[in-house]
Amino acid sequence: MVTTAPYGAWTSPVDARTVAAHDGRPAFVGMVGDEVWWTEPRPAEGGRRTLVRRRPDGAGESVLPAPWNVRSRVLEYGGQPWAGTDTAEGPLIVFSNFDDQRLYACTPDGDPAPRPLTPHSAVGGGLRWVDPVLRCDLGEVWCVLEEFTGERPTEVRRVLAAVPLDGSAAEDRSRVRELSDDRHRFVTGPRLSPDGRRAAWIAWDHPRMPWDGTLAMVARITAEGTFEDVRPLVGDLGSAAPGGGADGESVAQVEWAADGSLLFVSDLSGWWELQRIDPDAPADGVVASRALCPARQEEFGGPLWNVGQRWFLPLDDGTLAVIHGRGSTALGILDPVTGELVDAAGPWTEWTPTLAVHGSRVLGIAAGPHSSYELVELDTRTGHARVLACRHVDVLDPAYHPRPRSRTFTGPHGRDIHAHIHPPHNPDHVAPDGELPPYVVWAHGGPTGRAPLVLDLEIAYFTSRGIGVAEVNYGGSTGYGREYRERLRGRWGVVDVEDCAAVARALAEEGSADRARLAIRGGSAGGWTAAASLTSTDLYACGTISYPVLDLTGWATGGTHDFESQYLESLIGPFAEVPDRYRERSPLHHADRIAAPFLLLQGLDDVICPPAQCERFLAAVAGRGVPHAYLPFAGEGHGFRRAETLVRAVEAELALYVQTFGLTRSDVPALELRG
């Protein structure tokens, strides 16, 4: 029976524990022989990630028991944390363990106990490893080494390094062989040519972020496994000269084709396009390279937040598996000769940048509006795609799932703003005639990120209770070309705030949302947008701010990790030239303007957005009579992973809306708001 009840008061089967239990997704898929391996989250086990294998007979098992945590901290955001190969004794696996950041090796079918390959370091953040490539012919694993040289987060160097597989470097740093020098601040792991004689990788330097400008580096590999003739081939070649280039070129991925040519993704045209180049070409690769699928005005790559992301891989028959799209992504097979591109059929609208190939098989991870992230296999011979593992299971009646629609709104100066709108939806309830629903604007992180249109039980938690959600892909988001991405350049805290407000106002003006019951929420860069919105507009009745940036000056002067330590040079402007802009934009320095109630959520182990910023913000708000709550979480870093944290966070957010919007609910734990 359908019951009439006010928006926000609807009863729902989507509880916080269900949301927490299904948080996270599989990642970093790979092949070991003819077995499929990947990592999976375990929210109930302290938020660790385990390594899972699927045997040819379909049996799946977790390889590493607690407390092993397969996750790298390189750049703090990590990346590809494991590699494996098939040997006479069964699989040989090398992985990075989160707690101590050492590399370990294990042979699950022999002695399964992991053995360390790399040493500890007491200096700063120690030694960290990511994006490994096994070289059993040399008895080594090649990967990125991130080595701290001092206590400050910016006292760090990164090189390509070779680690002995015999464990001789476990107590002896000198046994680690460095393959590259540290002329570049950032590098990805090496990609080896089919004949093993060349290596290619990506490098970049401050103040550029990898989506601003990178270099594709190449080198010859000697018989002894050393690099020679190291040089940039394509990419942001101007940045290699003093002063850098005026216009950047972002190369997001490199791979070798079977014929020895180098495949890469470049955004020189304004879109990340797939190209090919002869590695012996002179270093003016713009002329020598050739686009393989030109003029589509969509992305074949993305922002390199995690080292080792893959948007494409070559297949044995010369075709390429590619992840591509505009605002959403599809898995396709590209013929690089004809440019013909055929997409896999299926319900998936978002493919994560992780791929593996084996013969005619392509493995990827995908989700859709009605399914969570699944491990999908595409058989390129038949064109048939099937779910291989992590199959979506409806843990509640799909009738309670959100019913989203993607829309394009008009923002200031007539600019387009892309968003996913999730209206309140519950088959058991309708609202009284004439009532408009409350809406929460979700600002994604990054800010160089994007909210995908996929099933999210956290969204269902709110929509099934009668609270709408608007996910805004504000200017600066990826997936819509470089021009859209660079709208935020110098205007962070302006464009993102304006775009979120434009969507919220449009929903109210068209009669889809209650103008008096609008809220905003976000984490990380989205937390910044939420805080900046509350201190610069009176549009929102309240807001939820999670692990945010609040003080730009502090962030730009040693208050964050190395990777993003100069990100504000492009988002805000050169600190040396516009220091007043940093203060002017910071929510910390406008705490006197905030009037709406807010909830502040923070991990106490966060080194990207440290809790000190929250503490200074709270001190600035104290005594001003603004209702607020602060929930710090021990053992959590940048983004929450533990089930108990996720439960508390989502229930506290609902409790904020209950109090602010005047909702009547008896199933929400108390949240004390202090003035």
Side-chain angles (χ1 to χ4, degrees):
M1 183 176 67
V2 178
T3 302
T4 299
Y7 286 115
W10 299 350
T11 57
S12 169
V14 190
D15 60 38
R17 295 195 177 279
T18 300
V19 172
H22 295 85
D23 185 73
R25 62 194 186 199
F28 303 115
V29 65
M31 296 294 301
V32 181
D34 55 0
E35 295 182 352
V36 183
W37 293 57
W38 66 94
T39 69
E40 272 187 19
R42 293 288 185 266
E45 298 177 19
R48 78 181 185 98
R49 295 194 72 91
T50 189
L51 191 59
V52 180
R53 70 190 291 190
R54 182 185 186 274
R55 298 178 184 272
D57 62 4
E61 62 186 47
S62 175
V63 176
L64 296 166
W68 296 107
N69 189 352
V70 184
R71 183 175 155 218
S72 171
R73 283 189 61 182
V74 168
L75 308 188
E76 296 301 342
Y77 291 113
Q80 179 71 38
W82 73 276
T85 190
D86 207 17
T87 71
E89 292 75 36
L92 168 64
I93 305 297
V94 172
F95 68 94
S96 175
N97 183 52
F98 181 76
D99 291 340
D100 59 10
Q101 284 300 289
R102 300 173 81 183
L103 275 183
Y104 287 81
C106 69
T107 50
D109 294 345
D111 181 0
R115 52 185 177 82
L117 299 181
T118 58
H120 287 285
S121 172
V123 179
L127 303 175
R128 301 174 178 179
W129 315 84
V130 74
D131 210 5
V133 176
L134 281 165
R135 292 296 310 268
C136 293
D137 55 327
L138 297 175
E140 295 176 331
V141 55
W142 290 9
C143 52
V144 176
L145 162 60
E146 181 178 79
E147 180 174 25
F148 284 79
T149 59
E151 295 303 318
R152 292 184 299 179
T154 54
E155 294 180 312
V156 62
R157 61 192 294 268
R158 298 176 186 89
V159 297
L160 299 182
V163 176
L165 288 171
D166 62 8
S168 59
E171 305 297 334
D172 185 357
R173 167 66 176 82
S174 68
R175 297 283 296 174
V176 174
R177 192 167 60 87
E178 296 191 5
L179 299 167
S180 69
D181 58 29
D182 57 3
R183 75 180 73 177
H184 294 293
R185 189 72 170 187
F186 304 97
V187 293
T188 64
R191 299 291 176 260
L192 306 183
S193 62
D195 62 7
R197 296 178 179 179
R198 295 179 188 263
W201 64 96
I202 295 171
W204 69 97
D205 292 284
H206 282 146
R208 295 199 191 277
M209 298 300 288
W211 41 87
D212 296 325
T214 61
L215 292 166
M217 305 292 295
V218 292
R220 295 186 184 276
I221 304 173
T222 68
E224 294 75 28
T226 60
F227 286 4
E228 64 180 12
D229 189 23
V230 178
R231 64 189 182 102
L233 182 62
V234 292
D236 191 23
L237 297 171
S239 68
D247 299 305
E249 177 184 359
S250 169
V251 175
Q253 184 188 345
V254 292
E255 301 287 342
W256 294 95
D259 64 1
S261 61
L262 187 68
L263 305 169
F264 64 100
V265 168
S266 164
D267 74 342
L268 193 62
S269 71
W271 299 85
W272 272 301
E273 290 185 330
L274 192 56
Q275 302 192 42
R276 182 196 301 273
I277 189 171
D278 179 347
D280 293 317
D284 62 352
V286 173
V287 175
S289 63
R290 181 175 69 86
L292 301 183
C293 194
R296 288 184 67 99
Q297 292 200 333
E298 60 182 58
E299 308 283 31
F300 285 76
L304 196 62
W305 281 101
N306 301 113
V307 180
Q309 290 177 304
R310 288 180 170 89
W311 289 269
F312 73 91
L313 279 178
L315 289 151
D316 290 346
D317 63 1
T319 61
L320 303 171
V322 296
I323 294 171
H324 69 103
R326 181 173 184 169
S328 61
T329 54
L331 173 65
I333 302 299
L334 171 66
D335 184 330
V337 176
T338 65
E340 182 183 7
L341 177 60
V342 179
D343 289 338
W348 310 286
T349 56
E350 189 69 22
W351 292 77
T352 66
T354 179
L355 288 173
V357 298
H358 184 66
S360 62
R361 300 164 64 197
V362 180
L363 288 306
I365 294 171
H370 307 293
S371 61
S372 54
Y373 285 93
E374 305 172 303
L375 201 156
V376 180
E377 177 190 67
L378 170 65
D379 185 335
T380 61
R381 294 173 302 179
T382 64
H384 178 65
R386 63 171 180 144
V387 177
L388 199 67
C390 307
R391 180 181 294 276
H392 170 79
V393 175
D394 289 323
V395 296
L396 56 112
D397 188 336
Y400 296 93
H401 289 172
R403 297 292 187 267
R405 59 186 185 274
S406 295
R407 296 180 57 185
T408 301
F409 295 82
T410 300
H413 311 292
R415 65 178 182 249
D416 288 345
I417 306 168
H418 304 291
H420 306 310
I421 307 303
H422 307 259
H425 173 76
N426 186 312
D428 302 329
H429 294 283
V430 294
D433 290 342
E435 183 183 0
L436 295 177
Y439 254 85
V440 183
V441 172
W442 284 28
H444 64 71
T448 309
R450 178 173 55 86
L453 184 63
V454 299
L455 176 63
D456 185 336
L457 291 184
E458 189 172 5
I459 292 176
Y461 180 84
F462 294 104
T463 57
S464 63
R465 286 167 168 76
I467 300 173
V469 171
E471 295 182 288
V472 180
N473 283 321
Y474 48 81
S477 302
T478 46
Y480 306 97
R482 184 157 188 155
E483 182 179 352
Y484 194 91
R485 187 168 86 236
E486 292 195 340
R487 285 184 188 175
L488 212 56
R489 196 170 186 87
R491 294 178 59 77
W492 194 36
V494 179
V495 167
D496 49 325
V497 170
E498 290 177 345
D499 286 1
C500 287
V503 171
R505 288 194 184 99
L507 291 172
E509 289 170 1
E510 72 185 23
S512 297
D514 185 346
R515 172 64 177 78
R517 293 190 295 175
L518 299 173
I520 189 166
R521 66 101 84 165
S524 189
W528 151 272
T529 300
S533 297
L534 293 180
T535 56
S536 62
T537 77
D538 61 359
L539 179 63
Y540 304 103
C542 61
T544 299
I545 305 166
S546 301
Y547 38 92
V549 180
L550 297 169
D551 175 16
L552 296 178
T553 301
W555 222 62
T557 55
T560 189
H561 63 143
D562 184 60
F563 176 56
E564 294 178 274
S565 62
Q566 296 186 37
Y567 194 4
L568 300 184
E569 294 284 301
S570 59
L571 287 176
I572 304 298
F575 182 68
E577 298 175 15
V578 291
D580 291 344
R581 189 184 297 171
Y582 282 65
R583 181 179 180 86
E584 178 186 309
R585 298 264 184 93
S586 295
L588 174 66
H589 299 298
H590 298 296
D592 59 319
R593 299 180 184 175
I594 193 166
F598 66 89
L599 169 64
L600 190 55
L601 306 171
Q602 177 68 45
L604 294 180
D605 293 346
D606 193 342
V607 298
I608 296 173
C609 294
Q613 290 212 4
C614 289
E615 293 161 5
R616 293 198 296 272
F617 186 72
L618 292 169
V621 170
R624 298 186 179 276
V626 179
H628 65 275
Y630 176 49
L631 299 182
F633 298 102
E636 293 283 12
H638 196 66
F640 304 147
R641 297 173 179 271
R642 300 183 176 191
E644 60 271 23
T645 303
L646 296 165
V647 169
R648 180 64 177 131
V650 73
E651 290 182 340
E653 183 176 350
L654 178 60
L656 173 70
Y657 304 148
V658 166
Q659 294 185 55
T660 306
F661 296 154
L663 308 178
T664 301
R665 302 199 67 91
S666 60
D667 60 346
V668 184
L671 176 70
E672 181 181 359
L673 297 177
R674 300 181 179 181

